[in-house]
Amino acid sequence: TPRQGGFSNGGFLIVGDAAGFADPVVSEGISNAILSGRLAARAISESFRSKASAAEIYSTLVDREILPQLRTARQLSRILYNYPRTAERLIRLKGSRIAEALTDVFMGERNYPLSVMHVLRNRLLSRRPFMMMDG
């Protein structure tokens, strides 16, 4: 769960696991640690040319680049961990595709969809190929 109270403290920008950016589906944190580090560096750089502080810029970047993905991952983790029959059905029907899609997310090649429930409902009820992730 992302850190409460913002992603800066006393002149420091908080990144990675310290900011609560680990993916809740598989508890992987390296991808978002790298991304948040890059965003922090960008915010610092942009703050020299802006009236906004590095903390303000970083917060905006995190809100746009990381938090939507974490919200979606949290929805997906709730489905997988709180509804074992649903998770079992998903894995039985589309396990290899799900594994491929999650690998792509961790490699930065695609993102989670913004609405897991919408995508799951549409894919499970249709005969179209299963592509859980955008990209």
Side-chain angles (χ1 to χ4, degrees):
T1 301
R3 183 178 190 281
Q4 299 297 314
F7 303 105
S8 64
N9 188 359
F12 292 94
L13 301 179
I14 303 168
V15 301
D17 288 348
F21 293 156
D23 185 295
V25 174
V26 294
S27 299
E28 186 273 337
I30 296 298
S31 300
N32 281 335
I34 292 168
L35 175 58
S36 62
R38 287 181 176 162
L39 296 177
R42 181 174 158 194
I44 292 166
S45 176
E46 288 182 16
S47 73
F48 291 116
R49 299 181 308 272
S50 170
K51 291 183 180 180
S53 70
E56 292 168 325
I57 295 168
Y58 180 60
S59 179
T60 299
L61 292 170
V62 166
D63 285 347
R64 186 177 67 222
E65 304 281 332
I66 296 176
L67 295 183
Q69 294 298 303
L70 288 178
R71 280 191 285 278
T72 298
R74 195 173 329 119
Q75 287 178 335
L76 182 58
S77 71
R78 286 181 186 138
I79 294 165
L80 294 174
Y81 298 123
N82 294 335
Y83 301 97
R85 285 191 214 152
T86 301
E88 182 181 326
R89 181 173 179 218
L90 282 171
I91 292 167
R92 187 174 47 248
L93 292 173
K94 309 294 181 179
S96 62
R97 298 286 295 205
I98 292 170
E100 290 170 12
L102 287 173
T103 299
D104 288 347
V105 167
F106 299 135
M107 297 301 292
E109 295 173 9
R110 66 172 57 170
N111 293 319
Y112 286 113
L114 293 181
S115 173
V116 169
M117 294 306 293
H118 175 75
V119 170
L120 289 176
R121 187 178 306 112
N122 287 343
R123 296 305 191 257
L124 288 175
L125 297 176
S126 76
R127 299 239 182 246
R128 293 180 295 168
F130 187 79
M131 285 302 296
M132 187 173 75
M133 312 304 176
D134 291 336

